[in-house]
Amino acid sequence: MQKLKVGDTIQVISGSERSEKTPATKRGKVLKVDREAGRVTVEGLRLVKRHLRKTPQSPEGGIIEKPGTIALSNVQVVCAKCDKPTRVGIRKEGESSKRFCKQCDALID
């Protein structure tokens, strides 16, 4: 079972996207997880500019901003109960596995 899934709210804890004054501003939902490369795409964070030329498929062209990737080691899951970035543990409950917050012991999913 993975500790980070699509749809989780995460916070950037290190790297160029980290904010020291108000850490809650560098939070977002996970859009895509690339396990092989060890990268994650988060909405609204690490925006990169992509230049597109005019083609029949995109008649306008121009410069598009889209979210780039962040290393998995630079993000942590935010617990919904304690509203803090936390490490995630996995607990077996019968046949299923559940993720839980290591700080407040609340279930994440």
Side-chain angles (χ1 to χ4, degrees):
M1 179 173 210
Q2 291 91 19
K3 294 187 177 186
L4 191 67
K5 294 182 177 180
V6 173
D8 284 345
T9 302
I10 59 102
Q11 180 172 328
V12 179
I13 57 169
S14 65
S16 63
E17 285 293 314
R18 180 176 162 231
S19 175
E20 295 177 14
K21 293 183 180 177
T22 55
T25 59
K26 296 298 182 173
R27 290 184 179 182
K29 287 200 180 287
V30 175
L31 299 176
K32 185 174 138 186
V33 179
D34 186 2
R35 299 258 172 234
E36 291 179 8
R39 310 286 288 181
V40 63
T41 304
V42 182
E43 70 176 348
L45 294 180
R46 187 146 162 65
L47 295 176
V48 294
K49 295 183 189 273
R50 178 84 169 102
H51 296 72
L52 294 177
R53 73 173 61 177
K54 293 180 183 179
T55 62
Q57 290 84 15
S58 62
E60 285 196 16
I63 302 171
I64 297 174
E65 279 193 346
K66 64 179 193 175
T69 60
I70 302 172
L72 276 172
S73 62
N74 292 345
V75 299
Q76 276 189 332
V77 176
V78 176
C79 177
K81 183 179 174 188
C82 60
D83 197 42
K84 294 179 182 175
T86 182
R87 292 180 298 138
V88 176
I90 297 174
R91 182 180 294 143
K92 293 273 189 186
E93 293 183 0
E95 292 292 316
S96 63
S97 298
K98 301 286 184 183
R99 297 183 301 159
F100 68 96
C101 171
K102 290 253 186 157
Q103 290 182 2
C104 67
D105 207 41
L107 289 177
I108 293 176
D109 58 359

